[in-house]
């Protein structure tokens, strides 16, 4: 219903000048989403033209965010670029929003030109640590790692090295760091692993950092296992008695390096 009249088609809503208003209403927004799913280009174009100026407000709306996601997905390259450009100035705010994070993730996923990808990176990278630590925006960072070319994600990998301790010991950051290890090209991956190994004594006693060390052990690559064991050697007895590090110590002997000597027994006064 729109102004007391039942709307059955996008053309009717357009003729009444009601597309924009419908987009901001729960039922109207769902109607427009259903129409977008039909992928009829003239209707996609009409809905885009009516709502493109409201991309930020709709993107952070509990219902409107789904409409924007569909416009990003079904629109032309030019329309997608316009939606990204319309969000750039407030991209971080949208990414931090519980609903907006889905829109930014969809933009990253669907960006199909170097210009679109570069615009997203330019808007997000200056606030990358804030995004990594946020319960909503960390998923945007993870999507960037999975979807963007390595050269554009390089700023994230560089930060994973320079702020490895701060990221690895954070509730959401530890998940981002693991995704860095999944997607980073070899040079960046080796740098990140090197930092994790260097920081292993601090990470294994942390409630979140220990998972990053375990993640590397689970790769079951003998050189990496050996490097972590060497980094922790001398502290196995104490670490095996602590809540978080004990999980790491337990995993060390089963992580793929048969050449490692057995771990030192626990001294009697600690047992």
């Amino acid at each position: 219903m729109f102004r007391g009249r039942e709307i059955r088609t996008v053309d009717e809503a357009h003729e009444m000048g009601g597309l924009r208003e419908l987009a901001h209403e729960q039922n109207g927004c769902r109607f427009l989403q259903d129409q977008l799913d039909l992928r009829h280009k003239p209707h996609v174009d009409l809905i885009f033209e009516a709502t493109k100026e409201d991309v930020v407000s709709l993107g952070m709306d509990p219902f409107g965010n789904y409409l924007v996601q569909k416009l990003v997905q079904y629109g032309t390259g030019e329309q997608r670029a316009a939606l990204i450009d319309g969000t750039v100035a407030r991209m971080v705010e949208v990414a931090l929003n519980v609903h907006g994070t889905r829109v930014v993730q969809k933009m990253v996923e669907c960006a199909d030109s170097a210009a679109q990808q570069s615009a997203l990176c330019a808007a997000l990278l200056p606030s990358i640590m804030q995004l990594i630590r946020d319960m909503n925006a960390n998923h945007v960072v993870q999507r960037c790692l999975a979807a963007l070319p390595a050269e554009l994600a390089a700023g994230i990998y560089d930060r994973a090295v320079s702020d490895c301790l701060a990221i690895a010991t954070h509730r959401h950051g530890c998940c981002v760091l693991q995704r860095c290890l999944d997607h980073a090209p070899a040079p960046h991956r080796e740098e990140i692993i090197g930092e994790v190994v260097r920081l292993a004594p601090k990470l294994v006693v942390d409630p979140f950092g220990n998972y990053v060390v375990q993640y590397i052990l689970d790769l079951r690559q003998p050189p990496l296992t050996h490097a972590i064991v060497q980094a922790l050697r001398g502290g196995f007895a104490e670490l095996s008695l602590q809540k978080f590090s004990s999980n790491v110590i337990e995993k060390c002997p089963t992580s793929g390096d048969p050449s490692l000597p057995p771990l030192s027994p626990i001294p009697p006064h600690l047992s």
Side-chain angles (χ1 to χ4, degrees):
M1 295 290 292
F2 177 69
R3 298 174 185 171
R5 175 178 167 182
E6 184 177 359
I7 299 295
R8 296 184 179 181
T9 69
V10 172
D11 292 319
E12 284 182 26
H14 172 64
E15 289 170 4
M16 295 179 65
L19 285 173
R20 184 177 185 182
E21 188 172 333
L22 285 173
H24 287 273
E25 298 175 356
Q26 180 177 346
N27 292 330
C29 186
R30 285 177 174 166
F31 164 73
L32 295 180
Q33 291 172 48
D34 291 341
Q35 296 303 305
L36 286 173
D37 282 332
L38 299 175
R39 304 192 190 189
H40 182 53
K41 188 177 183 305
H43 290 171
V44 174
D45 292 344
L46 288 174
I47 297 171
F48 168 78
E49 289 297 331
T51 60
K52 63 181 180 181
E53 301 300 327
D54 296 342
V55 59
V56 171
S57 60
L58 287 172
M60 294 191 288
D61 182 82
F63 305 105
N65 79 89
Y66 295 106
L67 178 68
V68 178
Q69 288 184 66
K70 290 181 185 295
L71 283 172
V72 170
Q73 182 176 358
Y74 300 144
T76 64
E78 289 184 359
Q79 290 170 341
R80 191 176 302 113
L83 293 171
I84 292 172
D85 290 344
T87 311
V88 160
R90 298 175 65 185
M91 186 73 71
V92 171
E93 178 186 355
V94 178
L96 294 169
N97 181 268
V98 65
H99 307 297
T101 180
R102 299 171 182 173
V103 169
V104 181
Q105 289 175 59
K106 182 63 71 172
M107 288 178 173
V108 171
E109 176 186 325
C110 294
D112 57 359
S113 72
Q116 292 173 27
Q117 294 171 340
S118 296
L120 288 163
C121 286
L124 295 170
L125 286 179
S127 301
I128 197 65
M129 283 300 288
Q130 180 184 10
L131 300 176
I132 287 173
R133 294 173 173 176
D134 184 78
M135 66 180 298
N136 301 312
N138 81 87
H139 297 290
V140 171
V141 180
Q142 293 187 50
R143 190 61 57 88
C144 287
L145 293 170
L148 294 180
E151 60 270 19
L152 289 179
I156 304 174
Y157 299 132
D158 290 341
R159 204 61 184 268
V161 173
S162 63
D163 289 292
C164 186
L165 183 62
I167 294 173
T169 56
H170 188 274
R171 177 185 300 272
H172 307 301
C174 69
C175 298
V176 173
L177 195 58
Q178 291 174 58
R179 298 294 80 74
C180 285
L181 293 170
D182 283 340
H183 300 292
H188 288 295
R189 190 167 183 266
E190 291 170 5
E191 281 189 293
I192 297 170
I193 289 175
E195 276 300 289
V196 172
V197 171
R198 184 179 71 82
L199 295 167
K202 295 181 179 179
L203 296 180
V204 295
V205 297
D206 183 82
F208 307 112
N210 81 90
Y211 290 111
V212 177
V213 180
Q214 289 189 61
Y215 190 81
I216 292 179
L217 289 172
D218 285 336
L219 296 175
R220 306 181 80 76
Q221 296 183 17
L224 301 183
T225 301
H226 185 79
I228 290 174
V229 169
Q230 288 300 115
L232 301 178
R233 190 166 295 282
F236 288 116
E238 291 81 1
L239 293 173
S240 65
L241 297 176
Q242 295 188 29
K243 179 178 180 180
F244 305 114
S245 55
S246 62
N247 296 319
V248 178
I249 300 305
E250 182 179 349
K251 190 163 288 187
C252 283
T254 62
S255 296
D257 190 351
S259 68
L260 291 174
L263 303 182
S264 303
I266 300 176
H269 73 281
L270 293 176
S271 62

